[in-house]
Amino acid sequence: MTDSPRRPMPGTPSHKKARLDALASTAAPSGSSGGSAGGGVATAVSDAGRVASGEGVSLWMSAWRRLRRDWVFLFGAAIVVLFIVLAVVAPLIAPHDPATRVLIDQVNRQTNPVPGPQPGHPLGADYQGRDVLSRLMVGARQTLLVGVLATLGGLLGGMTLGTLAGAFGGWVDSVVMRVVDVLLSIPSLLMAFSIAAMFRSPSQWTVILAIAIVQVPVFARLLRGSMLAQRHSDHVLAARALGVRKGPIVFRHMLPNAMGPVIVQATLVLATAIIDAAALSFLGLGNPDDRSPEWGQMLGNAQPYFDSHPHLAVYPALCIIVVALGFTLVGESLRESLDPKSRR
Amino acid sequence: MSRYIVRRLLQAIVTLFVLSLLLFAWLRSLPGGPVSALLGERSTPEDRAALEQALGLDQPIFIQYLRFLERAAQGQFGVSTGVLPGRDALEIFLSRFPATIELSFFALTLAILLGIPLGYLAARHRGTFLDTGSVLFSLVGIAVPVFFLAFALKYVFAIQLGVLPPSGRQSVGINATHITGMYVLDGLLTREWDAAWDALRHLILPAVALSSIPFAVILRITRASVLEVLDEDYVRTAQAKGLRAATIRGRHVLRNALIPVVTTIGLQTGALLAGAVLTERVFTFRGVGHALAYGFETRDYAVLQVLIMMAALIYILVNMVVDIAYAAIDPRVRVR
């Protein structure tokens, strides 16, 4: 295999950037030449046999064919689907209201700060006498909300910047990308902490905002990469030759092709968003209002009881680990199935 | 090569400039403005007026920015309000820095010693149980919140089993001489073996917790890189020539595969810094991360300002050195 300049080796300088660029280069559709030198050729070669045997297969279709038999993907997808279903139906099936202090009369700061498991409350109650099982179930909803909104926020911001930079090039590109690269060079979690610390009274929205802003440069670089890869590819050239204007070219011809890597990245970001929210809560930068529970917040708030009642932290932590793992597995196997290079 | 170094230096300077703008904007947008942010809630009007004058808040914005740069260059970042009230912010950073270097060093060493061999083995035995297992293990490592892992380690090994100390950097009773501020090194230098051993025991749990993410990253990069190299023509050529398997593995595969791994290791400093905030907080390990965690909790902006700036500075410097080192090893990078 020849060395294609567009696809950096894993871990070339500035690993984060290189990884994003590698992901971006999987954007151009199969069969397009020029723009995605190495990738395009590899696809053409691996597809050659298939074309002869029947009708052409779209990128997504062939990805799905691979994913269908990939147990890593199926396992991750099962976790994600379960999580989403739980988030939707939890308030209906939760045995207790997550905010009601059903066991408050058992809580005694000195002798019994955290009521243990008992009939009707299989996981016990928390330090305010609220049913832990119900809080975990209902917490899925808030966790999903924080993850999705933070990811969407980062996606929207990054998409706008990246599309601007990639579609227009020139000085817009230089300015935007310089700022994006600097933002990428700050450790992301540290940046999330700093942004969250800017607000005097933290809330659910400051948490979402802090995590979303950190993801903006990530998506911006990704989008710009795939825009650049497509700018000189055949389908864009053809559209331009037909007299299609710049706007429609960007939105109808280039953006849809960039969706693959964006979806992969968004899935991975969802996992980190949920973990980061927990870290923010742990440092006291999270949402102080715990009437509607969120796993990261439950984990963060459990820290004073960790040495004496670790189960209070273990349950939400396990939920976070499983769900984050689910999203990561889905993202990683999606990435592999959409990357023409790994289709051997 | 020298042209590449100059270009990379210029790039770092531009990055620093943009970073200083960001930090300045961050300080300006703090709740209540920079004055109450730096002085805290309980400040006297005289103090406020004095600081307002000193900061030149009546001046145009770009002069304020220049003043900000000037003070940063002189190391005047204000006085701590929350972490160690009354202490100079820069001094706090300097006194805490050795502890974090020591911790990061141990964590990174651990991550390398485990990550590279496992990643290599996973790639060599692709598709086997070992491969899937170690990849899955690294994915779980990423999915576990660092501070939860720290708590769990502390609970099991310090509280339940009692084999390792739960917090701090050295036992109270130990009378150790400190030269560098890195306690293990200090103990070795002064030949106070018991002090060194004690400091090392305090390091184990935080280092393991902190190493989880770099370990996972190094493992996966090593695996991906070895897989890529195994596929190269020169490996096939070497096999066709009938070279011994050990020679191929050592000279052709591992050597080439490790180049990207080495650079990735340098770039893990960022993850280490952010992870140190959480780990040091759990183990009351008094390093930069511990100060940062309390800075965020108590909204001690004077300290945060220094620590964030220094963290970014270190990260940018390490990045630059790694890039230059990479260009020295691999000429292809210089051309891009």
Side-chain angles (χ1 to χ4, degrees):
Chain A
M1 178 119 205
T2 48
D3 239 333
S4 65
R6 265 185 204 289
R7 193 179 178 285
M9 283 185 284
T12 37
S14 311
H15 165 65
K16 207 167 10 171
K17 295 179 200 163
R19 195 185 66 75
L20 289 173
D21 291 347
L23 184 56
S25 73
T26 65
S30 57
S32 88
S33 58
S36 63
V41 174
T43 322
V45 170
S46 70
D47 274 350
R50 208 175 287 152
V51 173
S53 68
E55 82 278 28
V57 175
S58 80
L59 184 70
W60 286 100
M61 202 53 209
S62 83
W64 170 238
R65 283 188 182 169
R66 288 158 55 87
L67 288 175
R68 220 166 32 179
R69 286 168 315 202
D70 183 2
W71 71 268
V72 175
F73 172 78
L74 293 177
F75 182 62
I79 294 176
V80 170
V81 169
L82 257 174
F83 171 56
I84 294 173
V85 169
L86 182 64
V88 173
V89 303
L92 303 173
I93 58 169
H96 299 276
D97 181 74
T100 312
R101 303 171 177 186
V102 269
L103 295 178
I104 188 68
D105 38 321
Q106 283 189 28
V107 177
N108 183 313
R109 208 164 280 274
Q110 268 78 45
T111 56
N112 186 28
V114 178
Q118 52 199 278
H121 305 276
L123 301 183
D126 68 0
Y127 45 91
Q128 289 201 6
R130 296 171 296 198
D131 183 53
V132 170
L133 180 64
S134 309
R135 284 179 72 74
L136 280 178
M137 292 168 78
V138 178
R141 174 173 284 195
Q142 203 71 7
T143 309
L144 182 68
L145 193 76
V146 169
V148 168
L149 286 184
T151 308
L152 274 182
L155 185 59
L156 278 180
M159 220 154 147
T160 316
L161 286 180
T163 310
L164 273 179
F168 293 102
W171 67 269
V172 184
D173 186 32
S174 307
V175 172
V176 170
M177 288 328 283
R178 203 63 291 191
V179 176
V180 162
D181 282 352
V182 172
L183 289 178
L184 276 179
S185 80
I186 304 173
S188 62
L189 201 53
L190 209 55
M191 186 154 82
F193 294 157
S194 313
I195 294 167
M198 276 168 44
F199 304 97
R200 176 160 288 174
S201 52
S203 71
Q204 187 192 331
W205 300 107
T206 62
V207 172
I208 293 173
L209 194 71
I211 302 171
I213 291 178
V214 171
Q215 300 304 337
V216 167
V218 174
F219 283 110
R221 186 155 179 113
L222 187 63
L223 256 299
R224 176 205 179 240
S226 50
M227 289 284 153
L228 280 188
Q230 290 180 61
R231 243 164 91 196
H232 301 289
S233 65
D234 290 346
H235 70 287
V236 172
L237 221 68
R240 210 182 300 151
L242 286 171
V244 182
R245 263 168 301 161
K246 195 143 200 173
I249 289 188
V250 170
F251 288 106
R252 298 244 291 274
H253 296 256
M254 290 163 90
L255 259 184
N257 279 323
M259 275 303 124
V262 165
I263 290 172
V264 169
Q265 187 63 34
T267 322
L268 297 173
V269 163
L270 249 164
T272 35
I274 293 171
I275 300 172
D276 288 359
L280 284 174
S281 280
F282 173 69
L283 289 184
L285 298 168
N287 181 10
D289 177 11
D290 64 354
R291 274 170 305 178
S292 55
E294 188 256 324
W295 292 341
Q297 182 195 46
M298 290 174 74
L299 178 53
N301 289 348
Q303 51 174 313
Y305 305 94
F306 202 97
D307 296 346
S308 53
H309 301 83
H311 70 274
L312 218 49
V314 169
Y315 295 135
L318 280 181
C319 292
I320 290 175
I321 294 167
V322 169
V323 166
L325 187 66
F327 278 110
T328 312
L329 290 179
V330 168
E332 292 290 341
S333 42
L334 258 181
R335 188 224 307 272
E336 212 157 292
S337 72
L338 286 173
D339 185 357
K341 231 199 143 183
S342 67
R343 256 186 272 169
R344 290 191 174 120
Chain B
M1 185 65 205
S2 55
R3 270 182 71 186
Y4 179 81
I5 295 181
V6 170
R7 206 168 70 204
R8 196 62 190 73
L9 271 173
L10 284 177
Q11 213 174 320
I13 290 171
V14 174
T15 309
L16 272 181
F17 169 71
V18 179
L19 193 76
S20 70
L21 278 178
L22 284 176
L23 198 67
F24 179 67
W26 182 75
L27 267 182
R28 294 272 312 174
S29 63
L30 290 174
V35 172
S36 46
L38 290 180
L39 282 179
E41 304 285 326
R42 285 157 291 172
S43 55
T44 63
E46 294 86 59
D47 282 350
R48 297 181 62 88
L51 186 65
E52 227 160 276
Q53 178 109 58
L55 295 179
L57 288 176
D58 40 347
Q59 311 266 339
I61 191 105
F62 73 92
I63 295 193
Q64 288 187 36
Y65 171 68
L66 289 180
R67 285 284 201 84
F68 162 77
L69 286 186
E70 191 187 332
R71 275 182 293 117
Q74 292 169 344
Q76 295 173 10
F77 293 99
V79 171
S80 166
T81 55
V83 180
L84 282 170
R87 285 272 297 277
D88 182 65
L90 185 64
E91 205 186 302
I92 293 182
F93 168 78
L94 292 175
S95 68
R96 293 293 186 89
F97 195 45
T100 300
I101 293 190
E102 191 175 35
L103 176 62
S104 308
F105 173 78
F106 275 92
L108 203 54
T109 311
L110 206 65
I112 292 168
L113 288 182
L114 289 175
I116 291 183
L118 255 181
Y120 177 74
L121 285 178
R124 282 246 350 257
H125 305 276
R126 189 184 189 183
T128 61
F129 175 74
L130 180 78
D131 181 26
T132 331
S134 53
V135 169
L136 208 62
F137 185 59
S138 78
L139 287 179
V140 172
I142 292 177
V144 177
V146 174
F147 68 92
F148 176 73
L149 179 65
F151 263 128
L153 286 172
K154 182 174 157 183
Y155 183 76
V156 173
F157 291 101
I159 294 168
Q160 290 298 315
L161 300 176
V163 287
L164 288 166
S167 62
R169 295 187 56 201
Q170 213 156 34
S171 302
V172 191
I174 288 210
N175 185 16
T177 341
H178 296 147
I179 314 165
T180 56
M182 291 178 245
Y183 289 179
V184 176
L185 187 64
D186 285 347
L188 296 179
L189 287 176
T190 56
R191 301 184 180 212
E192 294 168 342
W193 308 118
D194 52 333
W197 173 239
D198 185 67
L200 189 65
R201 276 167 43 91
H202 279 82
L203 263 174
I204 294 175
L205 289 181
V208 169
L210 189 54
S211 70
S212 66
I213 288 183
F215 158 74
V217 174
I218 290 172
L219 187 150
R220 297 181 55 206
I221 292 286
T222 310
R223 179 178 173 273
S225 169
V226 170
L227 278 180
E228 198 150 322
V229 171
L230 280 177
D231 225 43
E232 294 285 353
D233 289 338
Y234 55 78
V235 174
R236 213 167 306 130
T237 310
Q239 281 164 346
K241 279 199 309 190
L243 290 186
R244 281 187 312 132
T247 318
I248 299 179
R249 266 177 229 155
R251 271 217 208 121
H252 296 85
V253 176
L254 209 53
R255 233 191 193 173
N256 284 297
L258 279 187
I259 299 175
V261 178
V262 170
T263 63
T264 314
I265 291 170
L267 294 162
Q268 282 308 306
T269 41
L272 283 174
L273 283 168
V277 177
L278 303 165
T279 322
E280 292 184 2
R281 164 87 173 73
V282 173
F283 291 102
T284 340
F285 191 92
R286 291 182 196 283
V288 175
H290 182 261
L292 263 171
Y294 276 98
F296 283 122
E297 250 164 70
T298 57
R299 301 288 198 277
D300 188 341
Y301 293 110
V303 169
L304 286 182
Q305 182 190 189
V306 187
L307 296 185
I308 292 173
M309 181 184 258
M310 290 300 177
L313 198 71
I314 293 165
Y315 192 52
I316 289 172
L317 282 181
V318 172
N319 255 312
M320 195 180 71
V321 172
V322 165
D323 276 6
I324 291 175
Y326 194 92
I329 305 170
D330 187 346
R332 281 174 300 179
V333 177
R334 282 177 238 161
V335 202
R336 280 198 304 171

